[in-house]
């Protein structure tokens, strides 16, 4: 593994803290890091996975693996659409004792941020590239009928970057720092 990337991610965590972000960046293989985080944050408890319809079957093996570790994964499938009160309401049909919400799909990050903020639970975002760090925005816009509400958000967030995907990405860590 490239030690330069590790060092820069360490610096990124310091930068996030200095900007009052309640987020920690982890790097490594997404599934290995995610399993460790779930075991640490919600052992023998429920984790809600917000998935895109096309992702539904992709994560079956991983979900079975964490079940064997004592974590109870719940899956909420949402169609790709901008965040609105009607489409977000499906997430609130899950039990109140969910301890972590996990999202892999950038188009659904707003849903995950909204759910974690509303329930004051930990959020885990598995990002596919450094460009997606804009998911840590401080204000979330949610369509509510004919108007758009703005909600200040700063949930406890763990962000996982798969360093192999980043190395293969056209994005650069330098661009991320500049933003």
């Amino acid at each position: 593994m490239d030690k330069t990337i590790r060092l820069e991610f360490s610096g990124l965590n310091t930068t996030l803290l200095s900007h009052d972000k309640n987020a920690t960046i982890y790097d490594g293989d997404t599934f290995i890091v995610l399993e460790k985080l779930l075991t640490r944050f919600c052992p023998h408890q429920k984790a809600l996975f917000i998935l895109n319809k096309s992702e539904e079957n992709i994560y079956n093996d991983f979900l079975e693996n964490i079940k064997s570790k004592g974590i109870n994964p719940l899956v909420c499938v949402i169609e790709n659409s901008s965040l609105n009160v009607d489409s977000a309401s499906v997430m609130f049909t899950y039990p109140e004792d969910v301890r972590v919400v996990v999202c892999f799909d950038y188009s659904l990050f707003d849903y995950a941020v909204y759910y974690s903020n509303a329930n004051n639970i930990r959020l885990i975002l598995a990002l596919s590239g450094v460009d997606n760090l804009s998911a840590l925005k401080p204000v979330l816009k949610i369509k509510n009928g004919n108007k758009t509400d703005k909600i200040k958000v700063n949930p406890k967030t763990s962000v996982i970057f798969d360093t192999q995907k980043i190395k293969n990405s056209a994005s650069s860590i330098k661009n991320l720092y500049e933003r």
Side-chain angles (χ1 to χ4, degrees):
M1 186 159 306
D2 185 357
K3 292 183 187 235
T4 307
I5 288 177
R6 280 200 178 280
L7 186 68
E8 291 188 29
F9 274 109
S10 172
L12 183 55
N13 281 321
T14 305
T15 303
L16 287 170
L17 278 173
S18 70
H19 286 89
D20 197 31
K21 289 290 182 188
N22 197 2
T24 305
I25 306 293
Y26 298 89
D27 66 299
D29 179 88
T30 300
F31 294 124
I32 293 170
V33 175
L34 181 55
E35 182 181 318
K36 288 178 183 176
L37 291 177
L38 290 172
T39 303
R40 188 168 111 205
F41 296 140
C42 64
H44 308 290
Q45 295 179 32
K46 295 179 181 114
L48 179 64
F49 287 76
I50 297 177
L51 301 178
N52 181 319
K53 184 84 170 147
S54 64
E55 297 176 318
E56 206 169 355
N57 296 323
I58 295 173
Y59 301 104
N60 283 342
D61 291 341
F62 177 73
L63 296 174
E64 286 302 317
N65 181 41
I66 63 172
K67 273 184 195 175
S68 70
K69 308 272 189 219
I71 296 163
N72 183 5
L74 306 171
V75 177
C76 178
V77 177
I78 298 178
E79 294 293 327
N80 276 353
S81 66
S82 58
L83 180 63
N84 66 69
V85 171
D86 292 334
S87 58
S89 64
V90 69
M91 295 183 301
F92 295 94
T93 61
Y94 290 89
E96 289 182 18
D97 60 344
V98 169
R99 294 290 169 243
V100 173
V101 61
V102 179
C103 188
F104 299 98
D105 188 320
Y106 182 69
S107 65
L108 299 176
F109 282 172
D110 284 352
Y111 285 91
V113 171
Y114 180 66
Y115 185 82
S116 67
N117 192 68
N119 291 299
N120 196 27
I121 61 173
R122 182 167 297 277
L123 168 64
I124 300 176
L125 300 174
L127 303 179
S128 58
V130 292
D131 291 337
N132 296 342
L133 198 59
S134 61
L136 297 177
K137 56 192 163 204
V139 175
L140 199 61
K141 295 178 182 177
I142 181 168
K143 193 95 167 122
N144 189 359
N146 292 331
K147 63 180 184 160
T148 301
D149 295 332
K150 292 181 181 180
I151 304 167
K152 283 190 171 190
V153 293
N154 193 10
K156 293 175 280 207
T157 307
S158 298
V159 181
I160 304 170
F161 281 108
D162 189 324
T163 51
Q164 287 306 109
K165 290 179 185 174
I166 291 171
K167 285 180 189 176
N168 298 331
S169 169
S171 302
S172 74
I173 299 217
K174 180 180 179 229
N175 291 341
L176 175 65
Y177 276 118
E178 289 172 359
R179 270 188 298 180

